[in-house]
Every structure is written in C-alpha cells, then in structure tokens.
Amino acid sequence: MKKITTILSILALVFFILCFSGCEDESTAGFTNITYYPDIVMEGDETVYIGLGEAFDDPGATATENGVEIDVNVSSNVNIQEPGLYYIGYSATNVDGFKKTVRRKVYVYDSNLNTTDLSGTYNASVIRSGTESYSNNPVTLTSTHIPGIYMIDDWIAGFYAIGRDYGEDYMFNGLIQINGDNEVIHLDMSNPWGDSFTNVEGTYNPVTGVIAYKAVWEAGYTFDVTMSK
C-alpha cells in the first residue's frame, strides 16, 4: 500500500511539473512570458500656471518599454479663456496591452492679480443653504509663487470638518484667487465626495480686510462664507 502511495505521489509531481512548464491558461494566452510596463516621463513641471488668454506650449512627455521609446497618446481639456483647473493626460500601452497614464495639472488664472499679501489664518463663519451655520472657525490661506493665488485649506470654513465634527478629511481644500478688482475666483476645490463647485462669487474688501463669497456646490447646497483676520 505504501509503495502504491509513493508511485501516485511521483506521478502527481510529474504531472504538476509538465503542466507548469507546458500548460497554458486561456487568460494568459497571447501574452509574452515577461511584460515590461510602460514608463512615462513628463517634460517640464507637473503643475503649470497660465495667465488667462496666454499661449501655452505643452512640453509633452516621453514613454519607453524596456528602454525602447514607444508612442504617447495625449488628451487635454485646457481652456486658456476660462480660469480653473485643467488636465493634460499622457498615456502609453505596451506590447501586451498594459496601459499607463500620467497627468499634468494646468491652472488657468485671471492675469489681473491682486498683489496684496492676503496669506494667513482667518476667523470664518459659514451658513449652508440659509439654515445651518457655524462661526469662529479657522481658515488658512497659504501663498503660492504667484501673487493673488493661495492654497485654501477649507473653502466651506469648517462646515463639515469642525462644525459637524467629521474631521479634517472633510475639508474642502483647493486654490482661491483674489484678482485686481478684488473679486474672488475659484480655481480648484476637492472634497471626499468628489463633487465640484458650479459657481463661486464674492469679493475682498481692502478697507476691512474681509473676504466674503457664496459657493454653490454641485451636491445641491450653497455656502455663504465670511472670513476676517
């Protein structure tokens, strides 16, 4: 009995070796034994700032597969006539059909800039759709390398993060611009739900130092925000 068991074990091992070396799973048919994924290198900066209406020359990207250059497909939604965030996508596909994509951020800003340094932490209040409100929440503007454009840590002044105590993961951060006419311009906003603003209107008062705006959220709410130092 022991001899039979040993023979069966040997046969099973032989079958496994033969199948491993010679059997082909249908899911891998048509693929090479080794695949080299595309490697894409963007030329220039990953984030670009363009003044409204200014010409933009995309520096492009190159792609290689195992050291050999391959084609790059480019897609872009950049509109130099409208302030906001845009993307240029670069994708490449290897011989086995595996695809890789990288993106360049392009911010188009109003070239009429307010050069007053408005960076710092503000005391802010917010009202959502005229009903629920919170006050005395901190909002910070951080300077970028372009005067008048700032990183804002929460467009909605802590409504969810502080007011509802959801935590900092629920801050609506992004880019805000104050132009030379003291208008508030929305360049970028991100949040955990992924919805955008459909409209932002507001002003900076150089006498009082107050920034006030109404942001309309795609999810169906409006946020009236007032910020002062």
Side-chain angles (χ1 to χ4, degrees), residues 8 16 38 84 106 172 175 201:
L8 289 175
F16 174 79
V106 178
F172 284 36
L175 275 185
E201 292 183 359

Side-chain angles (χ1 to χ4, degrees), residues 92-188:
T93 305
N94 75 357
V95 68
D96 291 324
F98 291 102
K99 183 178 180 180
K100 181 177 181 179
T101 300
V102 298
R103 296 195 303 177
R104 189 192 313 275
K105 282 185 176 182
V106 178
Y107 289 104
V108 176
Y109 63 90
D110 189 330
S111 50
N112 176 21
L113 296 163
N114 186 317
T115 57
T116 304
D117 183 8
L118 302 179
S119 61
T121 299
Y122 291 74
N123 185 34
S125 63
V126 55
I127 304 172
R128 192 185 77 166
S129 299
T131 55
E132 189 175 356
S133 65
Y134 300 99
S135 58
N136 300 316
N137 292 339
V139 174
T140 300
L141 302 186
T142 304
S143 297
T144 65
H145 68 281
I146 298 179
I149 299 178
Y150 305 89
M151 299 295 300
I152 181 170
D153 64 353
D154 198 347
W155 268 101
I156 59 171
F159 183 89
Y160 294 109
I162 301 172
R164 289 197 172 180
D165 198 25
Y166 288 179
E168 63 181 19
D169 288 342
Y170 288 84
M171 298 169 75
F172 284 36
N173 52 56
L175 275 185
I176 184 173
Q177 179 186 344
I178 309 298
N179 74 6
D181 297 324
N182 297 319
E183 294 176 319
V184 172
I185 297 176
H186 158 242
L187 294 179
D188 182 28

Side-chain angles (χ1 to χ4, degrees), residues 42-60 74-81 86-90 104-108:
M42 278 192 292
E43 304 295 336
D45 297 328
E46 292 185 11
T47 301
V48 176
Y49 294 85
I50 308 172
L52 192 67
E54 292 181 1
F56 172 61
D57 186 14
D58 177 17
V74 181
S75 61
S76 172
N77 66 345
V78 176
N79 180 2
I80 60 173
Q81 304 302 329
Y86 302 95
Y87 293 97
I88 302 176
Y90 309 94
R104 189 192 313 275
K105 282 185 176 182
V106 178
Y107 289 104
V108 176

